[in-house]
Amino acid sequence: MEISQIDLSRVPEHVAIIMDGNGRWAKQQGEMRLFGHNIGVESVRKTLKAAQQLKVKYLTLYAFSTENWNRQKEEEDGLMELLVNTIAGEADELHASGVRLAAIGDITGLPASCQCELQEAIKKTQENTTITLVLALNYSARWEIMNAVKNIAQEVKQNNIDTDLITEELFQAHLSTKDIPDPELLIRTSGEHRLSNFLLWQAAYTEFYFTPVLWPDFTGEHLMEAVYDFQNR
Ligand code: FPP
């Protein structure tokens, strides 16, 4: 698959990815699950680079779901540490290549060190315009929807809005994706065919692409294959 096979005038503006299969990949290699997550960071780099070549404007990665807290403590801590280190270590390079970093999810539920590195990197890159890399951290779509409902109810209670004014647009403005367009393409790796509580509202019209490739094996070429498939539907 080469970039020349892709119609660059019809590339999805927003691609979302459920990065799945790190644990199975590690097991296949006879390694600990965390090793899979480490190699998964390489796949993030490759995918981001390819997305920039394709001129994708928003790339959303499901990095840590609310359900991930059910994992073994050691894996959970390791994954958090990896996220903090990666964000801290990559911030300068992301900035240099014009990436704007954003986050969706219940960020207040992350360890303080993670929140701190994240806020710093978001602030540093806030003026960049090449691509927005959206990390879904401690994210769950039902949490996001419930949160929007609570906030709107509060505003109604305080007489700030009338119930007649509750429209799709108003609801959307209360989601953590309020400044981000809906994804046109959603990719899930590792052969699972589920949405797993990811972007339930935003994926109403999204095209899905499923691949058996495990996330640590995913490359820029795989992203191009997904975009090519999307363009030929
Ligand atoms: C799913 O595989 C993957 C995750 C829960 C973690 C993904 C995180 C990374 C690749 C690190 C990302 C880093 C940044 C900076 C975005 P799994 O563990 O559920 O695999 P399994 O289904 O095979 O068990």
Side-chain angles (χ1 to χ4, degrees), residues 156-176:
V156 171
K157 199 171 152 196
Q158 290 167 347
N159 284 323
N160 289 339
I161 48 170
D162 194 272
T163 45
D164 296 341
L165 294 177
I166 301 175
T167 58
E168 283 191 19
E169 288 70 31
L170 181 115
F171 195 81
Q172 142 77 16
H174 285 78
L175 297 172
S176 52

Side-chain angles (χ1 to χ4, degrees), residues 101-167:
L101 191 68
I104 56 170
D106 187 6
I107 304 304
T108 59
L110 297 174
S113 59
C114 192
Q115 288 186 45
C116 188
E117 294 295 352
L118 189 64
Q119 294 308 347
E120 215 169 286
I122 288 174
K123 194 152 174 256
K124 184 198 276 266
T125 61
Q126 65 186 350
E127 307 288 342
N128 294 338
T129 55
T130 308
I131 187 169
T132 301
L133 174 63
V134 184
L135 299 181
L137 298 167
N138 199 23
Y139 175 89
S140 105
R142 287 186 179 175
W143 163 83
E144 179 184 44
I145 290 170
M146 288 301 303
N147 205 41
V149 169
K150 280 189 203 162
N151 288 333
I152 294 170
Q154 194 66 29
E155 288 171 35
V156 171
K157 199 171 152 196
Q158 290 167 347
N159 284 323
N160 289 339
I161 48 170
D162 194 272
T163 45
D164 296 341
L165 294 177
I166 301 175
T167 58

Side-chain angles (χ1 to χ4, degrees), residues 18-26 33 36-44 61-65 68 71 75 79 82-84 86-87 90 133 135 137 188-190 192 214-216:
I18 301 177
M19 309 180 288
D20 201 4
N22 292 349
R24 275 164 283 165
W25 184 88
R33 294 176 58 83
H37 298 316
N38 271 294
I39 304 298
V41 174
E42 280 307 315
S43 302
V44 170
L61 302 177
Y62 205 4
F64 194 85
S65 79
N68 282 151
R71 293 175 186 230
E75 183 184 355
L79 195 47
L82 179 65
L83 280 169
V84 177
T86 307
I87 293 164
E90 303 281 319
L133 174 63
L135 299 181
L137 298 167
R188 183 166 189 161
T189 61
S190 89
E192 304 294 346
L214 302 176
W215 181 250

Side-chain angles (χ1 to χ4, degrees), residues 160-227:
N160 289 339
I161 48 170
D162 194 272
T163 45
D164 296 341
L165 294 177
I166 301 175
T167 58
E168 283 191 19
E169 288 70 31
L170 181 115
F171 195 81
Q172 142 77 16
H174 285 78
L175 297 172
S176 52
T177 51
K178 62 178 180 299
D179 302 315
I180 303 169
D182 290 343
E184 290 100 323
L185 174 63
L186 186 143
I187 299 168
R188 183 166 189 161
T189 61
S190 89
E192 304 294 346
H193 297 179
R194 282 172 278 115
L195 200 45
S196 297
N197 215 348
F198 189 46
L199 303 178
L200 293 182
W201 173 277
Q202 299 85 345
Y205 299 100
T206 302
E207 294 285 335
F208 292 162
Y209 179 85
F210 299 108
T211 168
V213 173
L214 302 176
W215 181 250
D217 287 328
F218 197 87
T219 62
E221 201 167 321
H222 291 114
L223 178 71
M224 291 190 193
E225 272 169 24
V227 170

